[in-house]
Coordinates of all heavy atoms in Angstrom, one line a residue:
M1 N -5.0 -0.5 -28.6 CA -4.9 -1.3 -27.5 C -3.9 -2.4 -27.7 O -3.8 -3.0 -28.8 CB -6.4 -2.0 -27.3 CG -6.5 -2.9 -26.2 SD -8.1 -3.6 -26.0 CE -9.1 -2.2 -25.7
N2 N -3.0 -2.6 -26.8 CA -1.9 -3.6 -26.9 C -2.4 -5.0 -26.6 O -3.6 -5.2 -26.1 CB -0.7 -3.2 -26.1 CG -0.9 -3.3 -24.6 OD1 -1.8 -4.1 -24.1 ND2 -0.2 -2.5 -23.8
Y3 N -1.6 -6.0 -26.8 CA -1.9 -7.3 -26.7 C -2.4 -7.7 -25.3 O -3.5 -8.4 -25.1 CB -0.7 -8.2 -27.0 CG -0.9 -9.7 -26.8 CD1 -1.8 -10.5 -27.6 CD2 -0.4 -10.3 -25.7 CE1 -2.0 -11.8 -27.4 CE2 -0.6 -11.6 -25.4 CZ -1.4 -12.4 -26.3 OH -1.6 -13.7 -26.1
E4 N -1.7 -7.2 -24.2 CA -2.1 -7.6 -22.9 C -3.5 -6.9 -22.5 O -4.3 -7.6 -21.9 CB -1.0 -7.1 -21.9 CG 0.3 -7.8 -21.9 CD 1.2 -7.3 -23.0 OE1 1.0 -6.3 -23.7 OE2 2.3 -8.0 -23.2
Q5 N -3.7 -5.7 -22.9 CA -5.0 -5.0 -22.7 C -6.1 -5.8 -23.3 O -7.2 -6.0 -22.7 CB -5.0 -3.6 -23.1 CG -4.1 -2.8 -22.3 CD -3.9 -1.4 -22.8 OE1 -4.0 -1.2 -24.1 NE2 -3.8 -0.4 -22.0
E6 N -5.8 -6.2 -24.6 CA -6.9 -6.9 -25.3 C -7.1 -8.3 -24.7 O -8.3 -8.7 -24.6 CB -6.5 -7.1 -26.8 CG -7.5 -7.8 -27.7 CD -7.1 -7.7 -29.1 OE1 -6.3 -6.9 -29.6 OE2 -7.6 -8.7 -29.8
F7 N -6.1 -9.0 -24.3 CA -6.2 -10.3 -23.6 C -7.0 -10.2 -22.3 O -8.0 -10.9 -22.1 CB -4.9 -10.9 -23.3 CG -4.9 -12.2 -22.7 CD1 -5.0 -13.4 -23.5 CD2 -4.9 -12.3 -21.3 CE1 -5.1 -14.6 -22.8 CE2 -5.0 -13.6 -20.7 CZ -5.1 -14.7 -21.5
L8 N -6.7 -9.1 -21.5 CA -7.4 -9.0 -20.2 C -8.9 -8.6 -20.5 O -9.7 -9.1 -19.8 CB -6.7 -7.9 -19.4 CG -5.4 -8.4 -18.7 CD1 -4.8 -7.2 -18.1 CD2 -5.7 -9.4 -17.8
R9 N -9.1 -7.8 -21.5 CA -10.5 -7.5 -21.8 C -11.3 -8.7 -22.1 O -12.4 -8.9 -21.7 CB -10.6 -6.4 -22.9 CG -12.0 -5.9 -23.1 CD -12.1 -5.3 -24.5 NE -11.9 -6.4 -25.5 CZ -11.4 -6.2 -26.8 NH1 -11.1 -4.9 -27.1 NH2 -11.3 -7.2 -27.6
D10 N -10.7 -9.5 -23.1 CA -11.4 -10.7 -23.6 C -11.6 -11.7 -22.4 O -12.6 -12.4 -22.3 CB -10.6 -11.4 -24.7 CG -10.7 -10.5 -26.0 OD1 -11.5 -9.6 -26.1 OD2 -9.8 -10.8 -26.9
F11 N -10.5 -11.8 -21.6 CA -10.6 -12.8 -20.4 C -11.7 -12.4 -19.4 O -12.5 -13.1 -19.0 CB -9.3 -12.9 -19.7 CG -9.3 -13.8 -18.6 CD1 -9.4 -15.2 -18.9 CD2 -9.0 -13.5 -17.3 CE1 -9.4 -16.1 -17.9 CE2 -9.0 -14.3 -16.3 CZ -9.2 -15.7 -16.6
E12 N -11.8 -11.0 -19.2 CA -12.8 -10.6 -18.3 C -14.2 -10.8 -18.9 O -15.1 -11.1 -18.1 CB -12.6 -9.0 -18.0 CG -13.4 -8.5 -17.0 CD -13.0 -7.1 -16.5 OE1 -12.0 -6.5 -17.1 OE2 -13.6 -6.5 -15.6
E13 N -14.4 -10.5 -20.2 CA -15.7 -10.8 -20.8 C -16.0 -12.3 -20.7 O -17.2 -12.6 -20.5 CB -15.7 -10.4 -22.3 CG -15.7 -8.8 -22.4 CD -15.5 -8.5 -24.0 OE1 -15.4 -9.3 -24.8 OE2 -15.4 -7.3 -24.1
W14 N -15.1 -13.2 -20.9 CA -15.3 -14.6 -20.8 C -15.7 -15.0 -19.5 O -16.6 -15.8 -19.3 CB -14.0 -15.4 -21.3 CG -14.2 -16.9 -21.3 CD1 -14.9 -17.6 -22.2 CD2 -13.8 -17.7 -20.3 NE1 -14.8 -18.9 -21.9 CE2 -14.1 -19.0 -20.7 CE3 -13.2 -17.6 -19.1 CZ2 -13.9 -20.1 -19.9 CZ3 -12.8 -18.7 -18.4 CH2 -13.2 -20.0 -18.8
I15 N -15.0 -14.5 -18.5 CA -15.4 -14.8 -17.1 C -16.8 -14.4 -16.8 O -17.6 -15.0 -16.1 CB -14.3 -14.2 -16.0 CG1 -13.0 -14.8 -16.2 CG2 -14.8 -14.2 -14.7 CD1 -12.9 -16.3 -15.7
A16 N -17.2 -13.2 -17.2 CA -18.5 -12.7 -17.0 C -19.6 -13.6 -17.6 O -20.6 -13.8 -17.0 CB -18.7 -11.2 -17.5
T17 N -19.3 -14.1 -18.8 CA -20.1 -15.0 -19.4 C -20.3 -16.3 -18.7 O -21.4 -16.8 -18.5 CB -19.6 -15.3 -20.9 OG1 -19.6 -14.1 -21.6 CG2 -20.5 -16.3 -21.6
Q18 N -19.1 -16.8 -18.2 CA -19.1 -18.0 -17.4 C -20.0 -17.9 -16.2 O -20.7 -18.8 -15.7 CB -17.7 -18.5 -17.1 CG -16.9 -18.8 -18.3 CD -17.5 -19.9 -19.2 OE1 -18.0 -20.9 -18.7 NE2 -17.7 -19.5 -20.4
V19 N -19.9 -16.7 -15.5 CA -20.7 -16.5 -14.2 C -22.1 -16.5 -14.6 O -23.0 -17.2 -14.0 CB -20.3 -15.1 -13.7 CG1 -21.3 -14.6 -12.7 CG2 -18.9 -15.1 -13.0
T20 N -22.6 -15.8 -15.7 CA -24.0 -15.9 -16.2 C -24.5 -17.2 -16.4 O -25.5 -17.7 -16.0 CB -24.1 -14.9 -17.4 OG1 -23.7 -13.7 -17.1 CG2 -25.6 -14.9 -17.9
I21 N -23.7 -18.0 -17.2 CA -24.0 -19.3 -17.6 C -24.2 -20.3 -16.3 O -25.2 -21.0 -16.2 CB -23.0 -20.0 -18.6 CG1 -23.1 -19.3 -19.9 CG2 -23.2 -21.5 -18.7 CD1 -22.0 -19.6 -20.9
N22 N -23.2 -20.1 -15.4 CA -23.3 -21.0 -14.3 C -24.4 -20.6 -13.3 O -25.0 -21.4 -12.7 CB -21.9 -21.1 -13.5 CG -21.0 -22.1 -14.3 OD1 -21.1 -23.2 -14.1 ND2 -20.1 -21.5 -15.1
E23 N -24.7 -19.3 -13.2 CA -25.9 -18.9 -12.4 C -27.2 -19.5 -13.0 O -28.0 -20.0 -12.2 CB -26.0 -17.4 -12.4 CG -25.0 -16.7 -11.4 CD -25.0 -15.2 -11.6 OE1 -25.5 -14.6 -12.6 OE2 -24.5 -14.6 -10.6
M24 N -27.4 -19.4 -14.3 CA -28.5 -20.0 -14.9 C -28.6 -21.4 -14.7 O -29.7 -22.0 -14.4 CB -28.6 -19.6 -16.4 CG -28.8 -18.1 -16.7 SD -28.8 -17.6 -18.4 CE -28.2 -18.8 -19.4
A25 N -27.6 -22.1 -14.9 CA -27.5 -23.6 -14.8 C -27.8 -24.0 -13.3 O -28.5 -25.0 -13.1 CB -26.2 -24.2 -15.3
M26 N -27.3 -23.2 -12.4 CA -27.4 -23.6 -11.0 C -28.9 -23.3 -10.6 O -29.5 -24.2 -10.0 CB -26.6 -22.6 -10.1 CG -26.5 -23.0 -8.6 SD -25.4 -22.0 -7.8 CE -26.3 -20.4 -7.7
N27 N -29.5 -22.3 -11.1 CA -30.9 -22.0 -10.9 C -31.8 -23.1 -11.5 O -32.8 -23.5 -10.9 CB -31.4 -20.6 -11.4 CG -30.7 -19.6 -10.4 OD1 -30.4 -19.8 -9.3 ND2 -30.5 -18.4 -11.1
E28 N -31.5 -23.5 -12.7 CA -32.3 -24.5 -13.4 C -32.1 -25.9 -12.6 O -33.1 -26.6 -12.5 CB -31.8 -24.7 -14.9 CG -32.6 -25.7 -15.6 CD -34.1 -25.3 -15.8 OE1 -34.5 -24.2 -15.6 OE2 -34.9 -26.2 -16.2
S29 N -31.0 -26.1 -12.2 CA -30.7 -27.4 -11.4 C -31.6 -27.4 -10.2 O -32.1 -28.4 -9.8 CB -29.2 -27.5 -11.1 OG -28.5 -27.7 -12.2
R30 N -31.6 -26.3 -9.5 CA -32.4 -26.2 -8.3 C -33.9 -26.4 -8.6 O -34.6 -27.0 -7.9 CB -32.2 -24.8 -7.6 CG -33.0 -24.6 -6.3 CD -33.0 -23.2 -5.7 NE -31.6 -22.8 -5.5 CZ -31.3 -21.5 -5.9 NH1 -32.2 -20.7 -6.4 NH2 -30.1 -21.1 -5.7
R31 N -34.3 -25.7 -9.7 CA -35.8 -26.0 -10.1 C -36.1 -27.4 -10.4 O -37.1 -27.9 -9.9 CB -36.0 -25.1 -11.4 CG -37.5 -25.1 -11.7 CD -37.8 -24.5 -13.1 NE -37.2 -25.3 -14.2 CZ -37.6 -26.5 -14.6 NH1 -38.6 -27.0 -14.2 NH2 -36.9 -27.0 -15.7
V32 N -35.2 -28.1 -11.1 CA -35.4 -29.5 -11.4 C -35.4 -30.3 -10.1 O -36.2 -31.2 -10.0 CB -34.4 -30.1 -12.4 CG1 -34.4 -31.6 -12.5 CG2 -34.6 -29.4 -13.7
L33 N -34.5 -30.0 -9.2 CA -34.5 -30.7 -8.0 C -35.8 -30.5 -7.2 O -36.3 -31.5 -6.6 CB -33.3 -30.2 -7.1 CG -33.2 -30.8 -5.7 CD1 -33.0 -32.4 -5.8 CD2 -32.0 -30.2 -5.0
E34 N -36.2 -29.3 -7.1 CA -37.5 -29.1 -6.3 C -38.7 -29.7 -7.0 O -39.6 -30.1 -6.3 CB -37.7 -27.5 -6.2 CG -36.6 -27.0 -5.3 CD -36.6 -25.4 -5.2 OE1 -37.4 -24.8 -6.1 OE2 -35.9 -24.8 -4.5
E35 N -38.8 -29.6 -8.3 CA -40.0 -30.1 -9.0 C -40.0 -31.6 -9.2 O -40.9 -32.3 -9.0 CB -40.1 -29.5 -10.4 CG -40.5 -28.0 -10.2 CD -40.6 -27.3 -11.6 OE1 -40.4 -28.0 -12.7 OE2 -40.8 -26.1 -11.7
D36 N -38.8 -32.1 -9.5 CA -38.7 -33.6 -9.9 C -38.1 -34.4 -8.8 O -38.1 -35.7 -9.0 CB -38.0 -33.8 -11.3 CG -38.6 -33.1 -12.4 OD1 -39.8 -32.7 -12.2 OD2 -37.9 -32.8 -13.3
K37 N -37.5 -33.8 -7.8 CA -36.8 -34.5 -6.8 C -35.7 -35.4 -7.4 O -35.4 -36.5 -6.9 CB -37.7 -35.4 -6.0 CG -38.9 -34.6 -5.3 CD -38.4 -33.6 -4.4 CE -39.7 -32.9 -3.8 NZ -39.6 -31.5 -3.8
D38 N -35.1 -34.9 -8.4 CA -34.0 -35.8 -9.1 C -32.7 -35.5 -8.5 O -32.2 -34.3 -8.5 CB -34.0 -35.3 -10.6 CG -33.0 -36.2 -11.5 OD1 -32.2 -36.9 -10.9 OD2 -33.1 -36.1 -12.7
E39 N -32.1 -36.5 -7.9 CA -30.9 -36.3 -7.1 C -29.7 -35.9 -8.0 O -28.7 -35.3 -7.6 CB -30.5 -37.6 -6.4 CG -31.3 -37.8 -5.1 CD -31.3 -36.6 -4.2 OE1 -30.1 -36.2 -3.9 OE2 -32.3 -36.2 -3.7
R40 N -29.8 -36.3 -9.3 CA -28.7 -35.8 -10.2 C -28.7 -34.3 -10.4 O -27.6 -33.7 -10.6 CB -29.0 -36.5 -11.6 CG -28.8 -37.9 -11.7 CD -29.1 -38.5 -13.0 NE -30.5 -38.2 -13.3 CZ -31.0 -38.5 -14.5 NH1 -30.4 -39.1 -15.4 NH2 -32.3 -38.2 -14.6
A41 N -29.8 -33.7 -10.2 CA -30.0 -32.2 -10.2 C -29.2 -31.7 -9.0 O -28.6 -30.5 -9.0 CB -31.4 -31.8 -10.2
A42 N -29.4 -32.4 -7.9 CA -28.6 -31.8 -6.7 C -27.1 -31.9 -6.9 O -26.4 -30.9 -6.5 CB -29.0 -32.7 -5.5
D43 N -26.6 -32.9 -7.5 CA -25.2 -33.0 -7.8 C -24.8 -31.9 -8.8 O -23.7 -31.3 -8.7 CB -24.9 -34.3 -8.4 CG -24.9 -35.5 -7.4 OD1 -24.9 -35.2 -6.2 OD2 -25.1 -36.7 -7.9
A44 N -25.6 -31.6 -9.8 CA -25.4 -30.7 -10.8 C -25.3 -29.3 -10.1 O -24.5 -28.5 -10.4 CB -26.4 -30.7 -11.9
Y45 N -26.2 -29.0 -9.2 CA -26.3 -27.8 -8.5 C -25.0 -27.5 -7.8 O -24.4 -26.4 -7.9 CB -27.5 -27.8 -7.6 CG -27.6 -26.5 -6.7 CD1 -28.3 -25.5 -7.2 CD2 -27.0 -26.4 -5.5 CE1 -28.4 -24.3 -6.5 CE2 -27.1 -25.2 -4.8 CZ -27.8 -24.2 -5.3 OH -27.8 -23.0 -4.7
I46 N -24.5 -28.6 -7.2 CA -23.2 -28.4 -6.4 C -22.1 -28.0 -7.4 O -21.2 -27.1 -7.1 CB -22.9 -29.6 -5.5 CG1 -24.0 -29.7 -4.4 CG2 -21.5 -29.6 -5.0 CD1 -24.0 -31.1 -3.7
R47 N -22.1 -28.8 -8.5 CA -21.0 -28.5 -9.4 C -21.0 -27.0 -10.0 O -20.0 -26.3 -10.1 CB -21.0 -29.4 -10.6 CG -20.6 -30.8 -10.2 CD -20.3 -31.7 -11.5 NE -21.4 -31.8 -12.4 CZ -22.4 -32.7 -12.2 NH1 -22.4 -33.5 -11.2 NH2 -23.5 -32.7 -13.0
Y48 N -22.3 -26.6 -10.3 CA -22.4 -25.3 -10.9 C -22.1 -24.2 -9.8 O -21.5 -23.2 -10.2 CB -23.8 -25.0 -11.5 CG -24.0 -25.9 -12.7 CD1 -25.1 -26.7 -12.8 CD2 -23.2 -25.8 -13.8 CE1 -25.3 -27.5 -13.9 CE2 -23.4 -26.5 -15.0 CZ -24.5 -27.4 -15.0 OH -24.7 -28.1 -16.1
E49 N -22.5 -24.5 -8.6 CA -22.2 -23.6 -7.5 C -20.7 -23.4 -7.3 O -20.1 -22.3 -7.1 CB -22.9 -24.0 -6.3 CG -22.7 -23.0 -5.0 CD -23.4 -23.5 -3.8 OE1 -23.4 -24.8 -3.6 OE2 -23.8 -22.7 -3.0
S50 N -20.0 -24.6 -7.4 CA -18.5 -24.6 -7.1 C -17.9 -23.7 -8.3 O -17.0 -23.0 -8.1 CB -18.0 -25.9 -7.1 OG -18.5 -26.6 -6.0
K51 N -18.3 -24.0 -9.5 CA -17.7 -23.2 -10.7 C -18.0 -21.8 -10.5 O -17.1 -20.9 -10.8 CB -18.3 -23.7 -12.0 CG -17.8 -25.1 -12.4 CD -18.5 -25.4 -13.8 CE -18.1 -26.8 -14.2 NZ -18.7 -27.1 -15.5
L52 N -19.2 -21.4 -10.1 CA -19.6 -20.0 -9.9 C -18.7 -19.4 -8.9 O -18.3 -18.3 -9.1 CB -21.1 -20.0 -9.6 CG -21.6 -18.5 -9.4 CD1 -21.5 -17.7 -10.6 CD2 -23.1 -18.6 -8.9
D53 N -18.5 -20.0 -7.8 CA -17.6 -19.4 -6.8 C -16.2 -19.2 -7.3 O -15.6 -18.1 -7.1 CB -17.5 -20.4 -5.5 CG -18.8 -20.4 -4.7 OD1 -19.6 -19.5 -4.8 OD2 -18.8 -21.4 -3.9
A54 N -15.7 -20.1 -8.1 CA -14.4 -19.9 -8.7 C -14.3 -18.8 -9.6 O -13.3 -18.0 -9.6 CB -13.9 -21.3 -9.4
Y55 N -15.3 -18.7 -10.5 CA -15.3 -17.6 -11.5 C -15.5 -16.2 -10.8 O -14.8 -15.2 -11.2 CB -16.5 -17.8 -12.5 CG -16.1 -18.9 -13.5 CD1 -17.1 -19.9 -13.7 CD2 -14.9 -19.0 -14.2 CE1 -16.9 -20.9 -14.6 CE2 -14.7 -20.0 -15.1 CZ -15.7 -21.0 -15.3 OH -15.3 -22.0 -16.2
Q56 N -16.3 -16.2 -9.7 CA -16.5 -15.0 -9.0 C -15.2 -14.6 -8.2 O -14.8 -13.4 -8.1 CB -17.6 -15.1 -8.0 CG -18.9 -15.1 -8.8 CD -20.1 -15.3 -7.8 OE1 -20.0 -16.0 -6.8 NE2 -21.3 -14.9 -8.3
F57 N -14.5 -15.5 -7.8 CA -13.2 -15.3 -7.1 C -12.2 -14.7 -8.2 O -11.5 -13.7 -7.9 CB -12.5 -16.6 -6.6 CG -11.3 -16.4 -5.9 CD1 -11.2 -15.9 -4.5 CD2 -10.0 -16.7 -6.5 CE1 -10.0 -15.7 -3.9 CE2 -8.8 -16.5 -5.8 CZ -8.8 -16.0 -4.5
I58 N -12.2 -15.3 -9.4 CA -11.3 -14.6 -10.5 C -11.7 -13.2 -10.8 O -10.9 -12.3 -11.0 CB -11.3 -15.6 -11.7 CG1 -10.6 -16.8 -11.4 CG2 -10.6 -14.9 -12.9 CD1 -10.8 -18.0 -12.5
Q59 N -13.0 -13.0 -10.8 CA -13.5 -11.6 -11.0 C -13.0 -10.6 -9.9 O -12.6 -9.5 -10.2 CB -15.1 -11.5 -11.1 CG -15.7 -12.0 -12.3 CD -17.2 -11.8 -12.2 OE1 -17.8 -12.2 -11.3 NE2 -17.8 -11.5 -13.4
G60 N -12.9 -11.2 -8.7 CA -12.3 -10.4 -7.6 C -10.9 -10.1 -7.9 O -10.4 -8.9 -7.6
K61 N -10.1 -11.0 -8.4 CA -8.7 -10.8 -8.7 C -8.5 -9.8 -9.8 O -7.6 -8.9 -9.7 CB -8.0 -12.1 -9.1 CG -7.9 -13.2 -8.0 CD -7.0 -12.7 -6.9 CE -6.8 -13.8 -5.9 NZ -5.8 -13.4 -4.9
L62 N -9.4 -9.9 -10.8 CA -9.4 -8.8 -11.9 C -9.8 -7.4 -11.3 O -9.2 -6.4 -11.8 CB -10.4 -9.2 -13.0 CG -10.0 -10.5 -13.8 CD1 -11.1 -10.9 -14.8 CD2 -8.7 -10.1 -14.6
E63 N -10.6 -7.4 -10.4 CA -11.0 -6.1 -9.8 C -9.8 -5.5 -9.0 O -9.5 -4.4 -9.0 CB -12.2 -6.2 -8.9 CG -13.5 -6.3 -9.6 CD -13.8 -5.2 -10.6 OE1 -13.7 -4.0 -10.2 OE2 -14.2 -5.4 -11.7
N64 N -9.1 -6.4 -8.3 CA -7.9 -6.0 -7.6 C -6.9 -5.4 -8.6 O -6.2 -4.4 -8.3 CB -7.2 -7.3 -6.8 CG -7.9 -7.5 -5.5 OD1 -8.8 -6.8 -5.1 ND2 -7.5 -8.6 -4.9
Y65 N -6.7 -6.1 -9.7 CA -5.8 -5.7 -10.7 C -6.1 -4.3 -11.1 O -5.2 -3.4 -11.3 CB -5.7 -6.6 -11.9 CG -4.9 -6.2 -13.1 CD1 -3.5 -6.2 -13.0 CD2 -5.6 -5.6 -14.2 CE1 -2.8 -5.8 -14.1 CE2 -4.8 -5.2 -15.2 CZ -3.4 -5.2 -15.3 OH -2.7 -4.8 -16.3
K66 N -7.4 -4.0 -11.4 CA -7.9 -2.7 -11.8 C -7.6 -1.5 -10.9 O -7.3 -0.4 -11.3 CB -9.3 -2.7 -12.1 CG -9.7 -3.5 -13.4 CD -11.2 -3.4 -13.5 CE -11.6 -4.3 -14.7 NZ -13.1 -4.3 -14.9
V67 N -7.6 -1.9 -9.6 CA -7.4 -0.8 -8.6 C -5.9 -0.9 -8.1 O -5.6 -0.2 -7.1 CB -8.4 -0.9 -7.4 CG1 -9.8 -0.7 -7.9 CG2 -8.3 -2.3 -6.7
G68 N -5.1 -1.7 -8.7 CA -3.6 -1.6 -8.3 C -3.2 -2.5 -7.2 O -2.1 -2.3 -6.6
K69 N -4.1 -3.4 -6.8 CA -3.7 -4.3 -5.6 C -2.9 -5.4 -6.1 O -2.9 -5.8 -7.4 CB -4.9 -4.8 -4.9 CG -5.7 -3.8 -4.2 CD -6.8 -4.6 -3.4 CE -7.6 -3.6 -2.5 NZ -8.7 -4.2 -1.9
S70 N -2.1 -6.1 -5.2 CA -1.3 -7.2 -5.5 C -2.3 -8.4 -5.9 O -3.4 -8.5 -5.5 CB -0.5 -7.6 -4.3 OG 0.1 -8.9 -4.5
F71 N -1.7 -9.4 -6.7 CA -2.5 -10.5 -7.1 C -2.8 -11.3 -5.9 O -3.9 -11.9 -5.8 CB -1.6 -11.5 -8.0 CG -2.3 -12.7 -8.3 CD1 -3.2 -12.7 -9.3 CD2 -2.0 -13.9 -7.6 CE1 -3.9 -13.9 -9.7 CE2 -2.7 -15.1 -7.9 CZ -3.6 -15.1 -8.9
H72 N -2.0 -11.3 -4.8 CA -2.2 -12.2 -3.6 C -3.1 -11.5 -2.6 O -3.5 -12.1 -1.6 CB -0.9 -12.6 -3.0 CG -0.1 -13.5 -3.9 ND1 -0.5 -14.8 -4.2 CD2 1.0 -13.2 -4.7 CE1 0.4 -15.3 -5.0 NE2 1.3 -14.3 -5.3
D73 N -3.4 -10.2 -2.8 CA -4.4 -9.6 -1.9 C -5.9 -10.2 -2.2 O -6.2 -10.5 -3.3 CB -4.6 -8.1 -2.3 CG -3.4 -7.3 -1.7 OD1 -2.6 -7.8 -0.9 OD2 -3.2 -6.2 -2.2
L74 N -6.5 -10.4 -1.1 CA -7.9 -11.0 -1.2 C -8.8 -9.9 -1.7 O -8.7 -8.8 -1.3 CB -8.3 -11.5 0.1 CG -7.6 -12.7 0.7 CD1 -8.1 -13.1 2.0 CD2 -7.7 -13.9 -0.3
P75 N -9.8 -10.3 -2.5 CA -10.8 -9.3 -2.9 C -11.5 -8.7 -1.7 O -11.7 -9.4 -0.8 CB -11.8 -10.1 -3.8 CG -11.0 -11.3 -4.3 CD -10.0 -11.6 -3.1
D76 N -11.9 -7.5 -1.8 CA -12.6 -6.8 -0.8 C -13.9 -7.6 -0.4 O -14.6 -8.0 -1.3 CB -12.9 -5.4 -1.1 CG -11.7 -4.4 -1.1 OD1 -10.7 -4.8 -0.4 OD2 -11.7 -3.4 -1.7
G77 N -14.2 -7.8 0.9 CA -15.4 -8.4 1.3 C -15.5 -9.9 1.1 O -16.6 -10.4 1.2
L78 N -14.4 -10.5 0.8 CA -14.4 -11.9 0.6 C -14.9 -12.7 1.8 O -15.8 -13.7 1.7 CB -13.1 -12.4 0.1 CG -13.0 -13.9 -0.2 CD1 -13.8 -14.2 -1.4 CD2 -11.6 -14.4 -0.4
F79 N -14.3 -12.4 2.9 CA -14.8 -13.1 4.1 C -16.1 -12.6 4.6 O -16.3 -11.4 4.6 CB -13.7 -13.0 5.2 CG -12.4 -13.7 4.8 CD1 -11.3 -13.1 4.5 CD2 -12.4 -15.1 4.8 CE1 -10.1 -13.7 4.3 CE2 -11.3 -15.8 4.4 CZ -10.1 -15.1 4.2
G80 N -16.9 -13.5 5.1 CA -18.1 -13.2 5.7 C -19.2 -13.1 4.8 O -20.4 -12.7 5.1
Q81 N -19.0 -13.4 3.5 CA -20.0 -13.4 2.5 C -20.5 -14.8 2.1 O -19.6 -15.7 2.0 CB -19.5 -12.7 1.2 CG -19.4 -11.2 1.3 CD -19.1 -10.7 -0.1 OE1 -18.7 -11.3 -1.0 NE2 -19.3 -9.4 -0.2
K82 N -21.7 -14.9 2.0 CA -22.3 -16.2 1.5 C -23.3 -15.8 0.3 O -24.0 -14.8 0.4 CB -23.1 -16.9 2.6 CG -22.4 -17.3 3.8 CD -21.7 -18.6 3.5 CE -21.0 -19.1 4.7 NZ -20.1 -20.2 4.5
H83 N -23.1 -16.6 -0.7 CA -24.0 -16.4 -1.8 C -24.8 -17.7 -2.0 O -24.4 -18.7 -2.2 CB -23.2 -16.3 -3.1 CG -22.2 -15.1 -3.1 ND1 -22.6 -13.8 -3.3 CD2 -20.9 -15.0 -2.8 CE1 -21.6 -12.9 -3.1 NE2 -20.6 -13.7 -2.9
Y84 N -26.2 -17.4 -1.9 CA -27.1 -18.5 -2.1 C -28.0 -18.4 -3.3 O -28.3 -17.3 -3.6 CB -27.9 -18.7 -0.8 CG -27.2 -18.9 0.4 CD1 -26.8 -17.9 1.3 CD2 -26.8 -20.2 0.7 CE1 -26.1 -18.2 2.5 CE2 -26.1 -20.5 1.9 CZ -25.8 -19.5 2.7 OH -25.0 -19.8 3.9

């Protein structure tokens, strides 16, 4: 495996880890907000959701790369999707 392939593999694994971490943190923030009515949890939820959206967007770019699409092509199904 050459340097570029190893870098992309490691980067893709790191992005997947970040998605998992931010999903868990977002869910925990939601739980704290619902149970304790702590407004700081609402702010945290928004931050984690924003990060999650960004990491998922990068995952879409990596998928485009794998199928030979241009970097500037939008990931399939990007428009019209909402993740709650």
